[in-house]
Amino acid sequence: MTATATPPPADPAEQPLPASVTAVVGLLILFEVTSGFLQVGLSPLLPDLADHLGIGSAALNWVVSVQLLAAAVCVPLFGRLGDLYGHRRMLRIALAMIAVGTLVVALAPDYATLLAGRVLQGPIAALLPLEIALVRDRLPVADARRAIARLVGALTLGAMAGGVVMGLVDSAFGSLRLTLLVPAALAVICVPVSFVAVPESRNRAGGRVDWAGVVLLGAAMVALLGGISGAEGGSWGSARVLVPVALGLVLLAAWVLVELRGSEPLVDVRALAARTTAPFYCAAFLFGVFYFGSQAPNSTFYAADPEVTGYGFGLSALSISLVLLPGAVGSVVGSLGTAAVARRIGYRPTLMVAFGLVALTFLQFALLHDEIWQMAAGSAFTGLGLGLALGAMPTVIVEASDPSRSGISAALYNNVKTMGGAVAGGIFASLLGAFAVSSTGEPGESGYEALWLVASAAALLALAATVLARRRES
């Protein structure tokens, strides 16, 4: 009688999980709720933060932009490292960095320290791509779609809660520092929670990290945004603008050459140029422009004292959060309803509807902004369009990727989106600075109107890009 060898027990991380969305998503939803809370919770506090640190409305845009700049580098890097070494492992590292950065932001004594904390928060944009890679690795396609929709819904739900809760906490505490410690506590809690029951991905890619691509991309973004920041007074033709912008473009061109020639590029530049995916990546970039770029300006517009500036409503942090609430609710409804809408009309038509809706509402902001109800109503429809786009774009892009590179594919989408936001932060800061009124030092009303028109044009361009996308051959 021959003995049969008994195989050693498999690593629990390698065991296939039940085909259940709930079983696989698990605590990832908590991380996305926290992510949304952190990303939007700061918005109603931005005017108070500007007063606390003694900075102007134009400079305040960089509080948003510098975090997006860090994200533009962190997202593809963490996605690639996740493909190589495990998405759960990189998720834990990202959460730890976010927790440290959020604490630094809460305790920052000056503007420079605040920006340093925001840089440490850069990996927050890498959370969703890492989670998408995890669920795609663990679930069948249909269940993965539902899981992605739930994660995006959790992100928008957290964003909705963040704006309202932070406004309420600020009103109750009366201290900006104590208020900022609330999201810091949430971020810290997520770190030990990530060691509880989150499964590791099973597929691993081969190769190495393209560190040359990381350095070149980061340097190019710093140079470009540094140049744009020099135009806050409207001096676009000056050397302090043209020199760093030219350097950034040269570095960006060098980065593209390195990526094209490398055997293991950080970003698949050829995939960016493919007719089936390039229009969607273009739309993702433009989405970042109007999604991230409008956050700080909208808050400062609401907070502006109409007796001093001639516009705005003089709202407190709590009042701003309540005015932003319809937009947050619209985002939740849109993201959670994406799958149902797409089943009826398809994912690409869903994106077309989303971008068209956003374009119309930003146009409405530019034309009708004298009453709070006008802004709140417009925000609700803007949020609905943003939610639909957030729910549809990841599915469209990720399903076209190879399973072994799903992390970097999802990361590339998020990276392009955050790059759009980083660029928009610099451009919008310059735009508001160009319309500054000498007597107050603050942007004039026409500056906000121009900003909203630019955002509307970006949404229309995203709609056009989606229309031009070539259908993938089956």
Side-chain angles (χ1 to χ4, degrees):
M1 181 181 227
T2 57
T4 304
T6 302
D11 187 332
E14 300 297 325
Q15 295 283 355
L17 295 184
S20 162
V21 173
T22 302
V24 177
V25 174
L27 295 173
L28 301 183
I29 288 178
L30 170 64
F31 304 149
E32 278 311 303
V33 170
T34 302
S35 174
F37 193 100
L38 294 179
Q39 291 184 56
V40 177
L42 190 64
S43 294
L45 302 177
L46 287 174
D48 290 344
L49 196 60
D51 292 339
H52 177 69
L53 298 176
I55 59 177
S57 298
L60 196 61
N61 284 272
W62 288 100
V63 176
V64 176
S65 187
V66 75
Q67 188 266 329
L68 296 172
L69 171 61
V73 178
C74 288
V75 169
L77 176 60
F78 275 68
R80 181 60 177 153
L81 289 171
D83 287 337
L84 292 173
Y85 303 113
H87 302 102
R88 180 182 65 179
R89 177 179 298 178
M90 296 313 302
L91 184 67
R92 291 170 174 171
I93 294 173
L95 288 170
M97 289 183 63
I98 294 163
V100 172
T102 309
L103 281 170
V104 171
V105 168
L107 302 175
D110 52 44
Y111 185 52
T113 306
L114 173 69
L115 294 183
R118 293 290 286 170
V119 169
L120 287 171
Q121 289 180 317
I124 197 169
L127 295 181
L128 185 59
L130 290 169
E131 292 159 356
I132 288 174
L134 274 173
V135 299
R136 189 165 182 255
D137 177 85
R138 289 285 181 166
L139 292 174
V141 172
D143 286 343
R145 285 179 172 178
R146 293 201 301 273
I148 292 171
R150 289 189 182 184
L151 288 171
V152 174
L155 176 66
T156 52
L157 182 63
M160 180 178 69
V164 176
V165 171
M166 292 295 280
L168 289 169
V169 171
D170 181 68
S171 179
F173 287 175
S175 168
L176 181 63
R177 180 154 294 178
L178 287 176
T179 302
L180 290 173
L181 283 172
V182 172
L186 287 175
V188 169
I189 288 170
C190 285
V191 178
V193 169
S194 68
F195 286 83
V196 175
V198 179
E200 181 60 280
S201 53
R202 295 166 295 185
N203 293 323
R204 291 287 188 278
R208 58 182 179 80
V209 177
D210 175 23
W211 291 109
V214 173
V215 172
L216 282 172
L217 178 61
M221 292 298 295
V222 170
L224 286 170
L225 294 180
I228 292 172
S229 69
E232 288 184 9
S235 53
W236 284 92
S238 65
R240 67 176 184 175
V241 175
L242 296 179
V243 171
V245 166
L247 175 61
L249 292 174
V250 170
L251 290 171
L252 198 60
W255 172 75
V256 170
L257 290 176
V258 168
E259 298 303 282
L260 287 173
R261 294 176 180 177
S263 58
E264 296 289 341
L266 177 72
V267 173
D268 188 352
V269 177
R270 289 184 177 85
L272 281 173
R275 183 67 188 277
T276 55
T277 55
F280 293 116
Y281 282 124
C282 178
F285 179 88
L286 293 164
F287 177 88
V289 169
F290 56 76
Y291 178 62
F292 293 113
S294 63
Q295 288 182 5
N298 283 0
S299 294
T300 56
F301 183 87
Y302 288 132
D305 185 350
E307 295 184 0
V308 175
T309 62
Y311 62 83
F313 308 104
L315 300 182
S316 65
L318 176 59
S319 298
I320 291 173
S321 67
L322 293 176
V323 174
L324 294 175
L325 182 59
V329 172
S331 292
V332 173
V333 172
S335 60
L336 292 178
T338 299
V341 174
R343 276 197 301 269
R344 291 180 175 272
I345 66 175
Y347 277 94
R348 189 167 70 161
T350 299
L351 281 177
M352 294 176 191
V353 171
F355 292 140
L357 190 58
V358 171
L360 287 174
T361 54
F362 273 115
L363 179 61
Q364 180 241 297
F365 287 156
L367 299 176
L368 301 171
H369 51 261
D370 295 329
E371 303 291 339
I372 292 180
W373 70 265
Q374 295 171 340
M375 300 291 290
S379 294
F381 288 102
T382 304
L384 181 61
L386 294 175
L388 286 170
L390 281 169
M393 279 192 292
T395 298
V396 169
I397 293 173
V398 170
E399 288 188 358
S401 68
D402 183 89
S404 68
R405 293 182 65 86
S406 58
I408 190 62
S409 175
L412 180 56
Y413 149 68
N414 238 31
N415 189 57
V416 170
K417 182 178 68 176
T418 52
M419 284 177 67
V423 171
I427 291 176
F428 286 178
S430 302
L431 189 61
L432 291 178
F435 284 90
V437 178
S438 57
S439 59
T440 63
E442 292 297 314
E445 185 176 3
S446 55
Y448 287 96
E449 292 171 348
L451 185 151
W452 288 322
L453 288 174
V454 170
S456 179
L460 282 175
L461 288 173
L463 171 60
T466 305
V467 171
L468 293 173
R470 176 180 292 173
R471 295 186 182 276
R472 185 176 180 84
E473 307 250 347
S474 50

